[in-house]
Amino acid sequence: MADKNITLTLPDGTQREYSSGTTGFEVAQSIASGLARAALSITVNGDIIDLDRPIIKDAHITINTWDSEDGKYTFWHSSAHLLAEAVQELYPDAKFGIGPPIENGFYYDIDFGDEQITQDDLEKIEKKFIEKARKKSEFERREVSKEEALNFYKAKGNEYKVDLIEDLEDGTITFYTQGDFTDLCRGPHIPNTGDVKAVKLTSLAGAYWRGDSDSKQLTRIYGISFPKQKMLEEHLNRIAEAKKRDHRKLGKELGIYMIDNMVGSGLPMWLPNGTVLRRTLEAFLRDEQKKRGYKEVITPHIANIELYKTSGHYPYYQDSQYNPIQVDDEEYMLKPMNCPHHHRIYSNEMRSYRDLPLRLAEFGSVYRYEQSGELSGLSRVRGFTQDDAHIYCTHDQLKQEIKNTIELTQLVFSTFGMPVDIRLSYRDNNEKKYGGNTEYWDRAQKEIKEVADEMELDYTIAPGEASFYGPKIDFIIRDAIGRKWQLGTVQVDYVMPERFDLTYVGSDNEKHRPVIIHRAPFGSMERFTSILIEHFAGDFPLWLSPEQVRILPISDDQNPYAEYCYEKLNELGVRVEIDKRSEQIGGKIRDAETSKTPYMLIVGAKEVENETVSVRRHKKGDIGTFNFSDFLSDIDEEIKTKALPKD
């Protein structure tokens, strides 16, 4: 009897037939020998597995190389095991907790017993790590019974692994072995340790077992690894550059925001410069939305808990929300999402097909409970503002509305000079994660793919990355030093119209369900601002800079002319200040440079006489003397066109 054939769908939508039981490596080899050499793992219907695992049914697949997130995940997972193997040889009595990959690298929580590990010990462990990697040991997967797994770790006296195994179901437990090290692990792993060519163990930290402060504190070793030494060197250079650009440092120096203990952790307050920056961003998006027919709304910061139970946000995201507030005989919650409020606005009146599409937009503040250890400046906060919009449309209008939202999102990121990668985030086979019926999901996923193809977008498909109510298009930007950030999303939603019983009257006088598009180019104003600060290193484009021009009179005699220049710039809408201090001009220039003010206008006796200004550009120095009227015209044009800084 011939082997059963299966159909595997590649990221670009191409389908290929293989025999059931074909491995990921064999698939990669059938595509290209170079791909097979570079392959680290394979993602099958959203699950990352080893390359030597058989694939037995139809699936969406992605061959993962170093250049993909799933490839790095696999690489760093294997590196965590290599770290443990190195530690095991150097510290035979060490007991291992967990060792997962993280966004940038990996860590392992280890009980060193009476040993005191310091930063100085990390170099020794790194050398042993590389020694183990060069052995090119294969990662061997083995299924074990719960009894065998418990006996293995009880014999080692490792209470941490025993604790983990006791929570697992028999028949779901696997061990991985490479070299002399065996670990409890679900996988996946790279083919062999030889792929890891460079490592840096970056830091040590304390970590309570399972996050319980009543448990023993283990030593957490953080690290990052690469398939080439040059990549490690480039990474370390980026880290050094990132430290210079850290928005927490620059945000304080530039007067963007503050966080105050009396107000509360994770609740930023925007200072005057930051408020100008934020309002300028909001005005930019408001103008673009107005051109595209959006209507702005404002919704309250709290609402009855029944609203979020209806939407599903309360049961799905309960752990990240604040506890309900008792008000009279009802429970209210701090708003975790804007969308349920917008759905109620839609329901405020009977809608006709002639009213659609209805585009509702809001800069709406929401609140999420984040663990204190996860809070970080503006990038991870407990109170933030989303540039939310929800488009209610007919099925016939859907594809054009998706195209319009994609175009707007691309415009936003191109304005800031940020290259964009696009990902179509689909559901996986875990039905518990999602609302709605499969038919709607299949339709929505088909529609966003058709739009992406019609717009000739370069995209990847990521099963398992959808939100609970629909598939989405994710926009992942790259900043000036190459870091990736997921920001804007466009989500198609067939679920909420059902939950909120949203309808419109069609041309047939019958009631129909609209489709909803959720859209947020910036995502969060706080997080987007943190990324902007680091992307531009605080040297914002002129149109965005809180202070655009600083006038520097050389002496008090030039103050009247400086004030004249100030008035003309102010009339033009330029954000301008005068430095009238009795300081030497060199000191005034240094202060303006430190403040990262884009333009400095030096005015002395000669400039007053000729009605000119001597112009300095931040970081470039003197760029010449201009007629003041010409400077007004030039700066007005630079602001209106939202020109990016030139190197």
Side-chain angles (χ1 to χ4, degrees):
M1 182 177 174
D3 288 341
K4 176 188 173 185
N5 282 346
I6 58 173
T7 301
L8 301 182
T9 305
L10 304 180
D12 63 358
T14 303
Q15 294 187 326
R16 293 180 173 228
E17 282 203 355
Y18 295 90
S19 297
S20 178
T22 297
T23 67
F25 179 78
E26 290 168 339
V27 173
Q29 214 167 26
S30 74
I31 297 171
S33 58
L35 178 61
R37 287 192 299 272
L40 299 172
S41 63
I42 181 170
T43 299
V44 181
N45 287 336
D47 296 324
I48 315 172
I49 65 172
D50 309 316
L51 283 170
D52 61 1
R53 296 276 302 280
I55 306 168
I56 58 174
K57 60 183 179 181
D58 295 351
H60 283 85
I61 65 159
T62 304
I63 306 295
N64 302 319
T65 65
W66 171 258
D67 293 328
S68 70
E69 287 184 17
D70 287 357
K72 288 184 175 71
Y73 177 96
T74 311
F75 193 90
W76 287 330
H77 190 181
S78 301
S79 298
H81 281 232
L82 266 171
L83 168 59
E85 185 182 4
V87 168
Q88 177 182 264
E89 182 159 324
L90 293 169
Y91 306 93
D93 295 331
K95 292 185 284 190
F96 300 95
I98 59 170
I102 54 177
E103 186 175 0
N104 278 297
F106 55 90
Y107 70 78
Y108 218 118
D109 289 343
I110 304 168
D111 182 352
F112 284 95
D114 295 332
E115 291 271 4
Q116 295 295 317
I117 303 300
T118 68
Q119 196 77 20
D120 293 339
D121 295 308
L122 297 185
E123 186 176 348
K124 175 177 64 175
I125 300 172
E126 283 176 9
K127 288 179 180 177
K128 183 61 66 175
F129 180 110
I130 292 298
E131 178 187 312
K132 295 293 182 183
R134 287 174 178 163
K135 291 183 180 294
K136 299 184 179 180
S137 302
E138 293 184 357
F139 285 86
E140 298 175 2
R141 181 180 184 272
R142 183 165 65 93
E143 295 182 3
V144 296
S145 68
K146 188 167 186 175
E147 182 182 9
E148 182 183 353
L150 286 169
N151 289 338
F152 179 84
Y153 281 107
K154 283 177 180 177
K156 286 178 169 288
N158 187 329
E159 64 269 30
Y160 309 108
K161 299 292 187 183
V162 169
D163 188 21
L164 293 172
I165 293 165
E166 285 176 343
D167 289 342
L168 302 177
E169 290 184 24
D170 203 356
T172 65
I173 301 169
T174 53
F175 281 178
Y176 276 83
T177 299
Q178 94 276 358
D180 299 322
F181 181 70
T182 296
D183 206 355
L184 169 72
C185 182
R186 289 180 301 180
H189 287 288
I190 59 180
N192 73 71
T193 62
D195 289 323
V196 185
K197 299 292 197 303
V199 65
K200 179 67 177 175
L201 301 181
T202 54
S203 62
L204 295 171
Y208 291 110
W209 175 241
R210 297 229 183 190
D212 182 356
S213 58
D214 292 330
S215 298
K216 184 168 182 178
Q217 190 175 66
L218 308 183
T219 299
R220 178 171 293 179
I221 301 179
Y222 285 97
I224 192 164
S225 57
F226 295 90
K228 293 180 182 178
Q229 180 64 31
K230 183 181 178 183
M231 289 180 175
L232 173 59
E233 292 166 3
E234 290 170 348
H235 171 76
L236 295 176
N237 288 336
R238 281 196 301 272
I239 292 295
E241 180 62 28
K243 285 182 179 177
K244 296 178 192 173
R245 295 169 177 259
D246 191 331
H247 81 275
R248 292 167 297 183
K249 172 178 173 286
L250 290 175
K252 182 177 180 180
E253 292 174 357
L254 299 176
I256 304 295
Y257 76 100
M258 66 176 283
I259 291 177
D260 181 76
N261 289 336
M262 288 188 71
V263 174
S265 299
L267 300 171
M269 293 187 289
W270 296 81
L271 300 175
N273 282 348
T275 301
V276 169
L277 177 63
R278 174 169 159 173
R279 294 300 186 218
T280 304
L281 288 170
E282 290 177 355
F284 161 56
L285 189 55
R286 275 195 175 97
D287 288 346
E288 293 299 332
Q289 289 176 164
K290 187 175 181 181
K291 294 175 190 174
R292 293 163 172 79
Y294 285 81
K295 298 180 185 298
E296 194 162 359
V297 297
I298 299 173
T299 60
H301 291 241
I302 66 170
N304 194 299
I305 195 171
E306 294 303 319
L307 177 69
Y308 307 118
K309 287 181 178 178
T310 300
S311 70
H313 289 103
Y314 183 68
Y316 275 94
Y317 298 124
Q318 187 173 350
D319 291 343
S320 64
Q321 294 170 12
Y322 283 95
N323 291 331
I325 306 162
Q326 197 70 31
V327 181
D328 298 328
D329 295 328
E330 297 180 308
E331 287 186 309
Y332 282 71
M333 282 183 58
L334 286 171
K335 178 170 61 172
M337 288 280 190
N338 296 304
C339 41
H341 298 248
H342 292 189
H343 304 333
R344 295 304 297 159
I345 290 174
Y346 178 92
S347 297
N348 186 51
E349 58 186 89
M350 180 64 72
R351 307 288 178 179
S352 160
Y353 70 96
R354 294 187 180 90
D355 301 323
L356 304 183
L358 175 65
R359 308 179 187 98
L360 300 180
E362 177 180 19
F363 289 96
S365 296
V366 298
Y367 302 89
R368 311 269 177 83
Y369 176 71
E370 300 282 358
Q371 297 289 336
S372 57
E374 296 176 343
L375 299 174
S376 179
L378 286 177
S379 61
R380 197 73 179 263
V381 293
R382 288 174 171 162
F384 54 95
T385 301
Q386 293 179 310
D387 59 321
D388 259 339
H390 297 91
I391 301 165
Y392 303 83
C393 62
T394 68
H395 294 95
D396 291 341
Q397 295 166 337
L398 178 63
K399 285 175 68 172
Q400 186 57 49
E401 290 301 310
I402 294 173
K403 289 178 182 179
N404 292 345
T405 58
I406 291 173
E407 182 271 328
L408 173 59
T409 306
Q410 289 176 318
L411 170 69
V412 167
F413 295 134
S414 65
T415 299
F416 300 103
M418 295 172 165
V420 177
D421 296 327
I422 294 175
R423 181 178 71 197
L424 307 187
S425 294
Y426 287 1
R427 66 180 287 166
D428 57 25
N429 295 325
N430 184 356
E431 294 188 4
K432 294 180 181 178
K433 289 165 55 178
Y434 309 104
N437 66 53
T438 305
E439 179 187 346
Y440 286 155
W441 275 88
D442 290 343
R443 178 173 181 172
Q445 290 178 174
K446 178 174 177 286
E447 285 163 334
I448 64 172
K449 185 177 185 304
E450 287 174 352
V451 167
D453 290 337
E454 289 170 16
M455 295 183 74
E456 299 182 345
L457 302 178
D458 184 11
Y459 62 85
T460 58
I461 294 174
E465 294 297 323
S467 64
F468 82 86
Y469 46 76
K472 56 195 173 99
I473 304 169
D474 291 320
F475 296 82
I476 296 126
I477 63 98
R478 276 172 280 133
D479 68 14
I481 57 175
R483 295 172 301 181
K484 290 186 177 182
W485 310 88
Q486 184 186 323
L487 287 175
T489 61
V490 175
Q491 303 174 16
V492 177
D493 179 3
Y494 284 97
V495 174
M496 291 301 152
E498 296 284 342
R499 285 179 176 266
F500 282 89
D501 191 26
L502 305 183
T503 62
Y504 68 90
V505 177
S507 57
D508 56 0
N509 286 324
E510 297 292 330
K511 287 187 176 181
H512 302 272
R513 293 266 184 247
V515 189
I516 302 173
I517 300 171
H518 301 244
R519 183 240 69 186
F522 293 145
S524 150
M525 299 304 296
E526 285 74 9
R527 185 165 179 264
F528 187 71
T529 299
S530 76
I531 293 167
L532 274 187
I533 292 170
E534 297 189 6
H535 177 62
F536 290 114
D539 298 322
F540 300 112
L542 179 65
W543 71 276
L544 195 57
S545 185
E547 180 186 10
Q548 296 167 321
V549 176
R550 189 175 298 184
I551 304 170
L552 310 178
I554 292 176
S555 71
D556 291 347
D557 292 342
Q558 287 85 49
N559 283 348
Y561 181 61
E563 288 169 357
Y564 164 79
C565 294
Y566 173 91
E567 288 172 6
K568 291 298 181 183
L569 286 161
N570 195 47
E571 287 172 7
L572 201 60
V574 176
R575 297 185 286 272
V576 56
E577 300 289 343
I578 306 177
D579 186 347
K580 294 182 180 179
R581 296 175 301 158
S582 299
E583 291 275 345
Q584 293 293 321
I585 191 64
K588 291 183 179 182
I589 290 171
R590 282 193 298 274
D591 290 344
E593 284 286 343
T594 300
S595 299
K596 301 183 184 289
T597 305
Y599 283 106
M600 290 149 267
L601 305 186
I602 317 297
V603 292
K606 189 175 179 182
E607 284 77 20
V608 173
E609 181 182 348
N610 298 321
E611 294 189 355
T612 59
V613 285
S614 179
V615 182
R616 293 182 65 89
R617 192 68 159 94
H618 174 56
K619 292 174 70 174
K620 292 185 178 180
D622 185 4
I623 60 172
T625 299
F626 297 80
N627 288 326
F628 182 58
S629 59
D630 291 341
F631 177 77
L632 285 176
S633 177
D634 290 347
I635 197 172
D636 187 43
E637 178 69 12
E638 187 176 344
I639 291 169
K640 284 179 178 175
T641 59
K642 296 181 174 60
L644 289 167
K646 295 178 182 178
D647 294 332

